[in-house]
Amino acid sequence: MKRFMYGSLIAAGLLAGAPAYASELKIMWYLGTDAEEQAIKDVLATYTKLKPETTFNLQIVPYDDIDNRFAQLAAAGTLPDLSKTSSMRPFIRPYLTDFAPVFGKDYLKDFVPGWAAGAKLGDQIIAAPLQVTATGMLINKSAFEKAGVDIPDIKTSWTWDEFLAKTKEVADKAAVRYPLVWDISQSRWLTMQFQYGNHIYSEDEPYKVVFDHDKATAVLDKFIGLTKTHMPPGLWSGSSSDNPKQLFTSGQAVAWMSGNWQVGGLAENASFDWQAGPTPYGTVKSSMVGGDYVIGFNTSEHVDEVNAFIKWLTTDPKAQELYTKPIMYIPANLKVPPIDYGNAKASAALQAFKEELSASPNFAATDQANPAMQYVWGPMRQSLFQATTGQITSSQAIDQIIKTAQESLTEAGQ
């Protein structure tokens, strides 16, 4: 997902005539979309109306710089009261509030399992799940209807072999240019590995590399095959200028491997009927779970107020809807009722993605959440390009990925 960069200091929720004992909470936040700035401002203003004694000083920061800022502020003793984050790196963990004694040990049971697992550190709960992202398949429903081919429901789904056969049939019968387009993304490819029960790291500490070479090689062989039979020529070799998003949005593809962040654009721009899922599976039904957390810092002078706000934001259905609806995010809290996002197709698609997330195994979240993964993404992408262009074999590509993953644990201090 693209992150937009901002650096201005914004005051939010400051009310005239607030009582002398009011707590102004310093909150650090990065943005996933332009619309998120107004969304978080509205959230903070709403909370201040509910709790006039709590106001906020909101600082919008670049996503790519968040960990450097944490390190600098921790060293200077000037950490904020709370922040949004996508991971809790080892260096910052000693400064994080443990929510378990306050929220209760069962607090995380209400959240998407894989993302909730990333919020734990032993018996501690060091983060509160906020929103989740889901990798999965977007389907050109109009093309299926024109071809007279049925789409299974989310719970039934279809295997990769069934899906590939159906999309090929639909493309032929409905005269759609391509059966499948796929984001040029190593994380989408890793999602396919998840769907065959394979993942990079163990789910719990002490971390080790558990990526099965033979399984991974077989899946990569299958992927290379479908780049030739189902996707635009040269899409994954770099020789094509075709854009998966443009092709699908213009109705030139039967299916698109991407994720929930595309829903808003499709709702606005697609002239055909479309839906999210079902995402095909091999031996395991899986998405890739990403997202964001909210963390509180134990260095704050207002820990109780921070805890109260974070619990409200992550457990109150109205608060979750207030934050996620305008930016078409998926709430991490599974108890939040289906949200009307103002567009029937978008609402149904985001609910479908949420259902696929809830059915995904823990490793669909823990791989991406592992800090060591930052050292793997780039080399993994290069290995995939080398394999898809025939420069190396699938087996050699997997060897390279495993070697990089093993080195990443050392680089990440694990």
Side-chain angles (χ1 to χ4, degrees):
M1 180 187 296
K2 186 176 180 181
R3 304 283 189 182
F4 294 83
M5 307 288 187
Y6 294 82
S8 58
L9 186 67
I10 299 168
L14 301 177
L15 299 183
Y21 56 85
S23 298
E24 181 185 82
L25 304 183
K26 296 178 181 178
I27 175 171
M28 207 157 69
W29 210 263
Y30 53 81
L31 306 178
T33 70
D34 286 325
E36 187 173 357
E37 182 172 344
Q38 188 59 50
I40 187 60
K41 284 183 177 181
D42 290 343
V43 166
L44 300 182
T46 297
Y47 189 77
T48 296
K49 287 181 181 178
L50 295 171
K51 306 282 186 180
E53 67 276 15
T54 302
T55 58
F56 300 88
N57 190 320
L58 172 67
Q59 184 181 17
I60 303 296
V61 299
Y63 169 74
D64 290 343
D65 195 41
I66 191 78
D67 286 319
N68 286 334
R69 284 178 180 262
F70 285 157
Q72 292 166 359
L73 294 173
T78 56
L79 283 164
D81 296 296
L82 67 151
S83 180
K84 177 183 174 185
T85 187
S86 59
S87 65
M88 288 65 68
R89 300 292 174 87
F91 76 87
I92 202 65
R93 292 174 186 174
Y95 301 96
L96 300 181
T97 298
D98 176 13
F99 296 131
V102 184
F103 297 170
K105 63 180 181 179
D106 293 332
Y107 165 73
L108 292 175
K109 289 184 178 180
D110 292 340
F111 296 87
V112 172
W115 202 238
K120 296 183 69 176
L121 182 64
D123 293 331
Q124 298 181 26
I125 299 174
I126 59 172
L130 176 64
Q131 63 90 15
V132 285
T133 58
T135 296
M137 202 65 70
L138 291 153
I139 306 292
N140 184 332
K141 189 175 179 181
S142 292
F144 272 84
E145 292 173 347
K146 184 176 180 180
V149 177
D150 292 333
I151 302 172
D153 60 38
I154 290 289
K155 291 184 179 180
T156 303
S157 192
W158 39 19
T159 65
W160 269 104
D161 289 341
E162 292 168 340
F163 168 80
L164 293 172
K166 293 292 186 183
T167 52
K168 189 77 169 177
E169 179 184 357
V170 170
D172 291 341
K173 289 183 176 179
V176 177
R177 190 176 176 189
Y178 298 116
L180 176 65
V181 289
W182 193 296
D183 289 347
I184 311 304
S185 164
Q186 57 273 42
S187 70
R188 313 293 182 270
W189 173 80
L190 187 57
T191 303
M192 190 176 186
Q193 291 285 347
F194 292 166
Q195 292 157 353
Y196 284 87
N198 210 6
H199 51 107
I200 303 291
Y201 303 111
S202 55
E203 297 173 46
D204 301 305
E205 297 183 280
Y207 295 116
K208 61 182 179 180
V209 176
V210 296
F211 204 41
D212 185 279
H213 177 276
D214 292 345
K215 276 186 181 180
T217 300
V219 173
L220 180 51
D221 281 338
K222 190 178 189 72
F223 175 76
I224 292 172
L226 63 90
T227 67
K228 298 174 181 177
T229 60
H230 284 67
M231 298 187 204
L235 182 64
W236 263 80
S237 68
S239 62
S240 171
S241 61
D242 285 322
N243 181 298
K245 181 176 184 176
Q246 292 176 353
L247 288 172
F248 186 80
T249 305
S250 61
Q252 298 182 69
V254 176
W256 178 19
M257 185 64 163
S258 193
N260 70 284
W261 51 91
Q262 307 291 0
V263 166
L266 287 173
E268 185 176 348
N269 299 313
S271 59
F272 55 90
D273 199 6
W274 56 275
Q275 67 179 59
T279 301
Y281 66 95
T283 57
V284 177
K285 292 181 180 179
S286 182
S287 177
M288 174 175 279
V289 187
D292 293 298
Y293 300 100
V294 185
I295 52 176
F297 291 98
N298 55 31
T299 52
S300 170
E301 296 179 357
H302 311 290
V303 170
D304 290 343
E305 291 87 346
V306 169
N307 291 346
F309 170 71
I310 291 176
K311 187 172 184 181
W312 172 80
L313 177 59
T314 59
T315 62
D316 187 294
K318 291 182 179 178
Q320 282 271 284
E321 181 172 349
L322 182 64
Y323 173 65
T324 59
K325 181 175 179 176
I327 45 185
M328 291 194 176
Y329 280 1
I330 302 173
N333 194 316
L334 295 171
K335 286 196 170 182
V336 175
I339 294 174
D340 180 0
Y341 290 90
N343 178 286
K345 291 178 187 176
S347 298
L350 291 168
Q351 182 62 26
F353 275 126
K354 186 176 181 179
E355 290 178 21
E356 291 193 334
L357 281 174
S358 65
S360 297
N362 277 355
F363 59 71
T366 55
D367 261 12
Q368 175 155 282
N370 193 315
M373 199 67 198
Q374 65 176 312
Y375 302 103
V376 178
W377 288 125
M380 177 187 287
R381 183 184 180 94
Q382 181 62 28
S383 295
L384 294 177
F385 275 124
Q386 289 177 316
T388 54
T389 55
Q391 299 175 51
I392 60 176
T393 65
S394 294
S395 179
Q396 290 171 329
I398 299 304
D399 282 337
Q400 291 180 176
I401 293 169
I402 291 174
K403 182 176 183 293
T404 300
Q406 290 169 338
E407 293 171 349
S408 74
L409 294 175
T410 301
E411 293 183 82
Q414 298 178 16

